[in-house]
């Protein structure tokens, strides 16, 4: 057993042992109460800070009629980063997913965010992601008052998910104290920027104001925040592992890396946020609430490194070492390396606003009307600019680069490279590989003046000097909700809620791309002086320094000629679509409460209907005889309805003991990208693909969507036991089972593409400019189907212990922890996206006399996720387990006795203290396919409260 498994086992065992110890101590609550009574007030028993937050969270959890986890405002903005995502990832049964160095995605009970409903103040929330899932790092902590995660639903939830529902709640000023707070943070990456034109320092500034007027009948809350947050990334990736590269000798049939994508990346996240709430309550019987949120988001960066094949001798003569299944070290036979400079420019905006009217014509009758509008747009651009030792095919092109590589736990490391790329006098700004096969229809690229080394003119195949990928997303959601509630002062039934919600939702994607050809074509040229920025550092992987230049500036200038990929590549229009949905959700919910034999029973029962009309429009796209895209519009869709019953049954056993039982049917609407009715057939003319006989690594690939998919569905059952031994202390154990009765899945099969073959178009070009026919006419076809079944089950343990409740001398110390053990599979043997079998969270804290100290550990085992692949498409990836460790130390001057400092709080945070890497693995071989190293992060924060 490795050391990580041992530490996980000890952690889980410690939590379980602590839970058992507390349950087994019948006099514990009495002892704790006596300890409280015996302790003087100045010993820290008066709860403030994190304990006040934990107490507030616990109070909501204890009194809820459903199984929930709660995050209160004091939790947000102390230990985590500047968004709500980090804080949510610390709740039991949830797990955060780091992307590009930041926690962005959240899994609930093993289901990633695409299968989790998200609301804000009870309204369905959209994000700026590629799918339904919300990017939680979009929301700064300053706008959030609390968050409630519903693990079991009630019938009146606006947005439901197979995993659960996350409700983010903003401040309601009439229920909030008067505040004016300014917050400033300085951020420093522990890993120095490897790119000369990007910094490793950043900042965050926020201003929050809340007040009440006119005898507390008018409330206003306003928040403004701006963030500039850098990240550094040592990015290693391989194209995959090929078992057919070595055909003879002792290493025949062993896994060999097919190619690499290695770069030094720097990014900066910039986010501007404005949020406001206006409440008007002229009487106890009437209130109006108006709220709005505006977020302007950008994530810019640069990636500088190499992309190249790693050919080895077919007889294995260049292999230096191997094990039973894979080559672990080898010298390549040579490849003309492509030095890629890729600018990254993602920009988005989110706007939401709504109004809520409440009217109580009598003390036992309530009417609520809620209307809202949300819209978002995102433009995600990823450019590519190629340079190297000269344009492919030219007689002046430099020699192939020969490298030696060694496989390590962090990926490949290189040595003895035969060429260097740090001299502006040597590196030429042009494509070193003949990757321009898709440019065949562009007549202006035909010329006869410049002859290549094969005796043929330089042509379209050698004309691709870069590319620009842009995914454009647009989303709108309009909703209206009407609800009435009848209260009953006596009897078993306490409340009856009846209502209906109507929503219109649209999400569109445009997959846009442009081929780039440099102004020097058909020759090559030096990098312009005005674009030179120095050198970027790739020494960490053994590749030395490389020239650094402003690729985005060149792309946005007239240096490159742009050719629309939509008319040249079928997968562009094949991945361009619009999905529209109209949804009716009638519901009825009954809250009940009674008592028998000293046991209080309470909960709710109800049913929600979901009546949906979904329509998708897209294109069926392929290459025609003129080498251009033929795109045929297609429209398709479906209507469906579902009844979703739910029951939450709770037993207050007295003395802080609560037993909860629940049963429900839950759904998540089908993924947006799966609902695209379009399709495409593509040929990858990279010579490495063209010459590969493996259908999975060969040149042919196609995809087709399905606008008739029904929602993901599950029947779920829950049971939990909770023991609240103090206002800020509890333990719990919960079990759940989800019977997945319908799951939509991507199905990949091998297909014969002979019918699409055009000999004068479907070929590759080798290093000598020779045309090479495809080695196979078989490739992979991906479609999306429903009807798959499966199951997920799990056990969750939680503990929150303020040690001062046990031993007065430990006043101020405490621990909050959770452990989730989840198991599940789909019936075809594949994993559920987002499911880690083991997730652990532990936060230890000390807070007393103004001083605070906290340390946090979040650990999760491997899970299935997804990432942006080639041509703006989404691809599944296997992520290795990870452990993130953070810490914070701070001081609050509130009781310092220094008048002008009483509103000041200082803190120093350290994030990713163990320098945890993000690791991805190959499902077939188990070998590492990708490693990202972000380093540690330090944040110095000052918060001042004026009142």
């Amino acid at each position: 057993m490795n050391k990580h498994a041992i530490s996980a086992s000890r952690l889980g065992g410690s939590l379980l042992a602590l839970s058992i110890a507390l349950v087994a101590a019948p006099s514990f609550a009495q002892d704790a109460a006596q300890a409280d009574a015996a302790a003087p007030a100045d010993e820290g028993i008066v709860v403030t800070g994190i304990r006040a937050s934990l107490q507030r969270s616990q109070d909501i959890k204890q009194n809820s009629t459903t199984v929930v986890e709660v995050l209160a405002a004091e939790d947000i903005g102390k230990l985590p980063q500047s968004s709500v995502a980090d804080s949510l990832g610390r709740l039991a049964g949830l797990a955060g997913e780091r992307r590009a160095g930041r926690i962005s995605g959240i899994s609930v009970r093993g289901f990633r965010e695409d299968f989790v409903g998200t609301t804000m103040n009870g309204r369905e929330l959209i994000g700026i992601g590629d799918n339904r899932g919300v990017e939680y790092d979009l929301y700064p902590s300053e706008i959030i008052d609390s968050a409630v995660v519903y693990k079991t639903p009630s019938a009146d939830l606006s947005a439901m998910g197979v995993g659960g529902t996350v409700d983010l709640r903003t401040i309601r000023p009439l229920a909030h104290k008067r505040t004016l707070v300014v917050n400033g943070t300085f951020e420093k990456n522990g890993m120095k920027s490897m790119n000369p034109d990007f910094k490793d320092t950043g900042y965050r500034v926020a201003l929050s104001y809340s007040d009440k007027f006119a005898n507390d009948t008018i409330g206003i809350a306003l928040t403004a925040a701006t963030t500039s947050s850098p990240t550094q990334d040592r990015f290693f990736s391989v194209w995959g592992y090929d078992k057919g590269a070595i055909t003879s000798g002792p290493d025949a049939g062993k896994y060999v890396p097919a190619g690499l994508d290695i770069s030094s990346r720097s990014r900066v996240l910039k986010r501007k946020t404005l949020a406001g709430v206006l409440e008007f309550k002229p009487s106890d019987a009437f209130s109006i609430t108006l709220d709005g949120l505006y977020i302007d988001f950008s994530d810019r960066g640069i990636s500088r490194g190499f992309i190249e094949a790693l050919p080895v001798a077919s007889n294995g003569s260049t292999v230096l070492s191997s094990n039973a299944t894979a080559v672990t070290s080898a010298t390549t036979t040579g490849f003309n390396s492509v030095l890629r400079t890729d600018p990254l420019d993602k920009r988005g905006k989110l706007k939401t606003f709504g109004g809520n009217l409440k009217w109580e014509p009598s003390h036992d009758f309530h009417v609520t009307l809620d209307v809202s509008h949300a819209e978002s747009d995102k433009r995600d651009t990823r450019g590519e600019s190629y340079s190297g030792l000269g344009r492919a095919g030219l007689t002046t092109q430099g020699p192939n680069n020969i490298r030696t590589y060694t496989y390590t736990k962090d990926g490949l490391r290189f040595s003895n490279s035969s060429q260097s790329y740090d001299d502006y006098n040597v590196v030429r700004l042009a494509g070193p590989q003949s990757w321009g096969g898709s440019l065949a229809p562009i007549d202006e690229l035909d010329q006869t003046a410049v002859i290549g080394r094969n005796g043929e003119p330089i042509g379209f195949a050698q004309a691709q000097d870069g590319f620009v990928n842009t995914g454009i997303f647009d989303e709108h959601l309009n909703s209206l909700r009407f609800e009435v509630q009848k209260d009953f002062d006596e009897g078993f039934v306490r409340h009856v809620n009846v209502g209906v919600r109507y929503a219109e939702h649209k999400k569109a994607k445009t997959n846009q791309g442009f081929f780039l050809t440099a102004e020097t074509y058909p020759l090559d040229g030096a990098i312009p002086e005005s674009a030179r920025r120095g050198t970027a550092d790739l020494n960490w992987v053994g590749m030395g320094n490389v020239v650094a230049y402003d690729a985005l500036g060149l792309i946005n200038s007239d240096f490159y000629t742009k050719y629309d990929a939509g008319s040249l590549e079928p997968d562009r229009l094949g991945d361009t679509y619009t999905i529209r949905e109209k949804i009716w959700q009638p519901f009825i919910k009954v809250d009940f409460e009674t008592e028998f034999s000293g046991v209080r029973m309470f909960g709710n029962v109800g049913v929600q209907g979901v009546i949906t009309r979904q329509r998708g429009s897209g294109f069926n796209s392929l290459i025609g005889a003129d080498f251009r895209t033929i795109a045929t519009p297609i429209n398709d869709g479906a209507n469906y309805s579902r009844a979703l019953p739910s029951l939450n049954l709770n037993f207050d056993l007295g003395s802080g003991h609560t037993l909860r039982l629940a049963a429900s049917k839950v759904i998540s609407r089908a993924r947006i990208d799966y609902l695209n009715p379009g399709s495409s057939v593509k040929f990858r003319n990279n010579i490495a693909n063209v010459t590969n006989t493996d259908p999975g690594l060969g040149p042919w690939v196609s995809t087709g969507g399905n606008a008739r998919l029904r929602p993901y569905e599950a029947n779920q059952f829950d049971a939990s036991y909770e023991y609240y031994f103090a206002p800020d202390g509890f333990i719990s154990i919960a079990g759940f089972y989800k019977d997945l009765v319908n799951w939509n899945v991507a199905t990949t099969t091998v297909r014969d593409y002979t019918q699409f073959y055009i000999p004068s178009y479907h070929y590759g070009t080798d290093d000598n400019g020779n045309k090479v026919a495809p080695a196979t006419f078989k490739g992979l076809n991906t479609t999306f189907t429903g009807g798959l079944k499966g199951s997920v089950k799990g056990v969750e343990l939680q503990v929150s212990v303020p040690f001062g409740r046990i031993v007065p001398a430990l006043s101020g110390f405490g621990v909050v922890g959770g452990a989730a053990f989840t198991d599940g599979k789909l019936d075809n043997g594949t994993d559920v996206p987002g499911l880690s079998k083991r997730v652990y969270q532990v936060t230890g804290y000390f807070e007393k006399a103004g001083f605070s100290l906290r340390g946090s550990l979040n650990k999760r085992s491997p899970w299935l996720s997804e990432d942006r692949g080639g041509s703006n498409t989404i691809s599944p990836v296997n992520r290795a387990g990870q452990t993130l460790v953070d810490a914070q130390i701070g001081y609050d001057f509130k009781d310092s006795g220094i008048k002008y400092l009483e509103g000041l709080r200082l803190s120093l945070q350290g994030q990713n203290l163990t320098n945890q890497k993000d690791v991805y693995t190959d499902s077939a071989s188990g070998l590492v396919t990708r490693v990202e190293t972000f380093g540690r992060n330090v944040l110095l924060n000052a918060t001042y409260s004026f009142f």
Side-chain angles (χ1 to χ4, degrees), residues 408-673:
T408 74
K409 63 181 179 61
D410 294 326
L412 303 182
R413 292 298 180 262
F414 294 85
S415 61
N416 303 322
S417 298
S418 63
Q419 308 298 325
S420 60
Y421 296 81
D422 58 351
D423 189 344
Y424 281 100
N425 295 317
V426 174
V427 176
R428 313 294 284 175
L429 192 52
Q433 291 294 320
S434 300
W435 288 346
S438 296
L439 294 168
I442 309 300
D443 294 337
E444 64 190 77
L445 296 176
D446 296 335
Q447 59 85 43
T448 57
V450 178
I451 306 300
R453 59 172 173 251
N454 65 343
E456 298 290 333
I458 297 296
F460 62 86
Q462 294 81 36
Q464 184 176 348
D465 298 325
F467 199 89
V468 177
N469 271 304
T470 300
I472 303 172
F473 297 86
D474 178 71
E475 187 169 9
H476 294 262
L477 175 65
N478 296 312
S479 65
L480 182 149
R481 178 186 173 106
F482 179 76
E483 180 180 358
V484 296
Q485 176 179 314
K486 171 64 176 174
D487 300 335
F488 300 90
D489 295 332
E490 298 179 354
F492 177 71
V493 174
R494 296 303 173 94
H495 312 285
V496 175
N497 295 70
V498 179
V500 63
R501 175 179 180 265
Y502 174 72
E504 293 185 353
H505 177 237
K506 185 198 83 169
K507 185 154 190 171
K509 176 183 180 181
T510 300
N511 190 331
Q512 191 179 82
F514 294 93
F515 289 92
L516 304 179
T517 300
E519 63 181 13
T520 55
Y521 175 83
L523 300 174
D524 56 26
I527 297 169
E529 291 276 356
S530 60
R532 299 181 183 183
R533 297 292 183 267
T535 59
D537 184 1
L538 286 169
N539 287 285
W540 57 271
V541 76
M543 291 183 170
N545 293 331
V546 298
V547 296
Y549 59 93
D550 180 13
L552 185 61
L554 293 173
I555 291 172
N556 290 335
S557 70
D558 295 329
F559 181 81
Y560 290 107
T561 300
K562 301 181 177 71
Y563 300 102
D564 183 11
S567 64
L568 303 171
E569 288 187 325
D571 56 337
R572 299 291 164 179
L573 287 173
D575 191 40
T576 294
Y577 54 82
T578 299
I579 307 300
R580 291 181 171 87
E581 297 169 313
K582 294 182 178 181
I583 306 159
W584 287 92
Q585 293 171 266
F587 63 88
I588 180 171
K589 185 189 73 167
V590 177
D591 292 298
F592 54 82
E593 182 176 350
T594 190
E595 186 172 330
F596 57 91
S597 301
V599 175
R600 182 173 72 98
M601 183 181 75
F602 64 101
N604 61 65
V605 63
V607 62
Q608 180 182 117
V610 178
I611 305 165
T612 304
R613 170 186 167 89
Q614 66 187 27
R615 294 292 182 270
S617 58
F619 301 90
N620 290 327
S621 185
L622 51 80
I623 292 295
D626 63 351
F627 304 164
R628 291 189 178 271
T629 297
I630 299 175
T632 305
I634 181 173
N635 297 278
D636 202 1
N639 300 330
Y640 64 84
S641 60
R642 296 290 185 272
L644 308 177
S646 60
L647 170 65
N648 291 279
L649 193 58
N650 309 282
F651 300 91
D652 182 353
L653 306 176
S655 301
H657 299 273
T658 301
L659 176 66
R660 302 183 189 270
L661 303 173
S664 60
K665 184 177 183 65
V666 291
I667 66 171
S668 292
R669 299 199 300 274
R671 288 171 55 109
I672 293 292
D673 55 342

Side-chain angles (χ1 to χ4, degrees), residues 83-133:
S83 77
V84 70
D86 262 330
S87 299
L88 287 172
R90 300 204 322 269
L91 294 177
L94 280 69
E97 180 170 345
R98 190 168 59 170
R99 297 166 190 155
R102 299 182 182 88
I103 299 294
S104 176
I106 296 292
S107 293
V108 178
R109 287 188 157 177
F111 295 86
R112 69 191 312 271
E113 64 269 18
D114 286 319
F115 313 106
V116 174
T118 304
T119 59
M120 179 170 283
N121 300 321
R123 302 185 188 117
E124 184 176 2
L125 188 62
I126 62 175
I128 62 169
D130 294 4
N131 228 293
R132 294 195 191 273

Side-chain angles (χ1 to χ4, degrees), residues 25 118 146 201 274 658 727 829 866 920:
T118 304
S146 61
T201 59
L274 293 173
T658 301
E866 62 183 31
Y920 301 70

